[in-house]
Structure formats: C-alpha cells, structure tokens
Amino acid sequence: MEPGKARQLSLVHSKCCQNTLGMPLLCCLREVHTCLTKVFPPSSCQQLSSIYYYYAMVQQSNFSWHQDGQFWERPKHNVLSILHAQATPPSGGETGFADLRAARATLSKPLLERAEKTSIKVSVRDIGDFKKGTEEDLAAFPDAQHPILDHHTLDGGPQLYVGSPHMAVSGLETPEAGRALLDMLLMHATSPSYTYFHAWDVGDVIIWDNTQTLHHSMPYNNDGTARRELYRTQSRVVIPESKNEEL
C-alpha cells in the first residue's frame, strides 16, 4: 500500500459489511491522520486511553476471539481500537478480524430463533487483564449484559454480539445450553467467509469498531531475535442524545 493511503478492508462482498454511515469494519493505513475522521466524525469520539501496550506473543498464543470493551455497560461498550506496528516478526503474528454483521446476516433461521431472547453476561472477574485488580478496582466495573442479537448503536444495523468464548449466556434452559449456543455462534462468525487476517508491516495502523468486529492475535515463533511490538490506544464513540443531534 502506498504511504498515507487509507484502504478499507472489506471482509466479504456484501452490503451488510458497511452500514448506512459508510463506516468500515476496519481500515488499514500507513499514516494515522487521514483515517479516524473517515470512520467517525471527530465530534463523535472521546479518547479512552493514550497508554501504549506491548504485545510479545510467544510460540503458543492463549488469546481467543474477542471484542474489546465487552465489559463496559451500554452504551460505553462502543469502543474503537487502534493498533500501530512498531516491530514485526519475519512470519506469523498476524491479527485476525471477524465480521459480526455478515455473520448475523447469514445465520440460519433455527439459530436466529434460538438466540432471539439470549444475552451474554460479562464480568471483569472472568477476564485475564483484570486478574491483578483489587476489589476496589473490580467494583468500578459492574457486570455488563449485551443481547446476542444486537443492533449497531449508530445506524441500527443488525449484528451479533458474542464477546468472547468464556461469556455466560442467559435466556436458555440451562447454562450448558447457553454455552453450546455461544460455541456455535463463534464457530459460524469466525469461519473463513467472515474473517480477514492481517500480516503486519512496520508502520501499519489498523482501526476497528469493536461492536461489530471480533479480533484475535496469532502466535509466532519467538527464537529470541524476533519481536512483535504493537502500540494500542482506544476511543469511545459518543452517542447523540437525540436523533436530530449531529455527530
């Protein structure tokens, strides 16, 4: 890709992959200044964090498909994530993305009916990033709940909201039935038709909307010389108080 040129990465060739505001699921560019305003107008975003995180994945990756911001109560879960590659290994270390709009659009009728009244329950106590948190830290994040058959906050487009594999599912006859449903939905959403795996080059920046996208870091062979170093920051989409209010 030419320096400074933004590119939309369409996961499948279908209208369900882009909403009526023209927001891509994710975009990749070499210079960040041209892109974020094309995804969401500046007035609709607030910065969550300018803290950079270091990712150094070894030979085996324990990361699973997930959505950033799943532990936030609605509408605070409307989070954009931004990754900037500083160092990349010679092979491996890709990041996978899955399109939850396209997955919802192609879901079978029996699964749609099964999932109709279900939701995921998210507790920070079940998320590895919070394992070292104190009770005071954890108390700042009440349990969140999201309908599995969800709609995008900004344009109402239908999508799946599945969080990650360890979510508890309510609305079915038993917890085991909820787990089985979540497994089926994740298997469907992360099948090849709805996924894109980005092979990083130094300088790449990827921005994505977590409410409609799963992501997953992939392992690489760390022989002591290879590095995978990505910086991350996030922004929250501020929801208009009324439909007549401009973003």
Side-chain angles (χ1 to χ4, degrees):
M1 179 169 40
E2 297 175 8
K5 181 180 179 182
R7 177 183 62 174
Q8 179 179 335
L9 301 173
S10 179
L11 303 188
V12 294
H13 299 292
S14 172
K15 290 182 180 179
C16 65
C17 292
Q18 186 168 335
N19 64 27
T20 55
L21 296 179
M23 298 182 300
L25 295 170
L26 59 134
C27 56
C28 175
L29 62 157
R30 292 293 165 84
E31 294 182 9
V32 71
H33 69 273
T34 61
C35 186
L36 189 55
T37 55
K38 294 185 178 181
V39 183
F40 292 97
S43 60
S44 72
C45 297
Q46 62 179 201
Q47 188 171 345
L48 287 184
S49 172
S50 59
I51 299 173
Y52 293 130
Y53 295 81
Y54 177 73
Y55 291 80
M57 307 305 295
V58 293
Q59 291 187 7
Q60 298 297 323
S61 172
N62 293 321
F63 282 38
S64 57
W65 290 101
H66 65 284
Q67 292 168 268
D68 289 349
Q70 59 188 318
F71 55 84
W72 288 106
E73 295 180 295
R74 306 167 77 85
K76 292 183 178 180
H77 72 307
N78 290 284
V79 172
L80 302 177
S81 290
I82 306 164
L83 281 182
H84 184 200
Q86 297 291 299
T88 60
S91 62
E94 300 88 354
T95 300
F97 298 92
D99 181 348
L100 293 174
R101 287 199 182 219
R104 163 75 184 265
T106 55
L107 206 60
S108 67
K109 185 177 179 181
L111 273 179
L112 279 171
E113 293 174 349
R114 183 86 170 137
E116 186 176 7
K117 296 181 179 179
T118 61
S119 59
I120 59 168
K121 183 179 181 181
V122 189
S123 172
V124 294
R125 289 169 171 77
D126 299 327
I127 299 176
D129 290 348
F130 291 85
K131 281 185 177 179
K132 295 183 179 180
T134 66
E135 273 303 314
E136 184 179 0
D137 294 330
L138 301 178
F141 299 93
D143 289 353
Q145 196 149 331
H146 306 286
I148 287 179
L149 298 186
D150 201 6
H151 293 82
H152 198 280
T153 307
L154 292 182
D155 73 338
Q159 61 191 24
L160 293 177
Y161 199 98
V162 289
S164 57
H166 60 272
M167 299 290 96
V169 176
S170 61
L172 293 180
E173 54 275 12
T174 64
E176 292 74 21
R179 170 73 62 183
L181 174 66
L182 185 62
D183 287 346
M184 284 188 286
L185 294 175
L186 282 165
M187 185 179 300
H188 171 71
T190 59
S191 61
S193 295
Y194 315 119
T195 52
Y196 163 78
F197 291 85
H198 185 73
W200 292 94
D201 288 327
V202 172
D204 282 359
V205 176
I206 286 191
I207 304 171
W208 70 94
D209 175 5
N210 282 282
T211 60
Q212 56 184 331
T213 313
L214 288 166
H215 65 284
H216 184 345
S217 62
M218 308 304 292
Y220 72 94
N221 182 19
N222 188 347
D223 61 0
T225 62
R227 281 197 310 143
R228 181 183 189 270
E229 185 177 350
L230 306 177
Y231 291 169
R232 187 192 77 175
T233 191
Q234 293 181 318
S235 181
R236 175 176 290 132
V237 179
V238 179
I239 308 305
E241 294 183 1
S242 70
K243 292 184 178 180
N244 296 325
E245 181 182 344
E246 291 186 3
L247 287 177

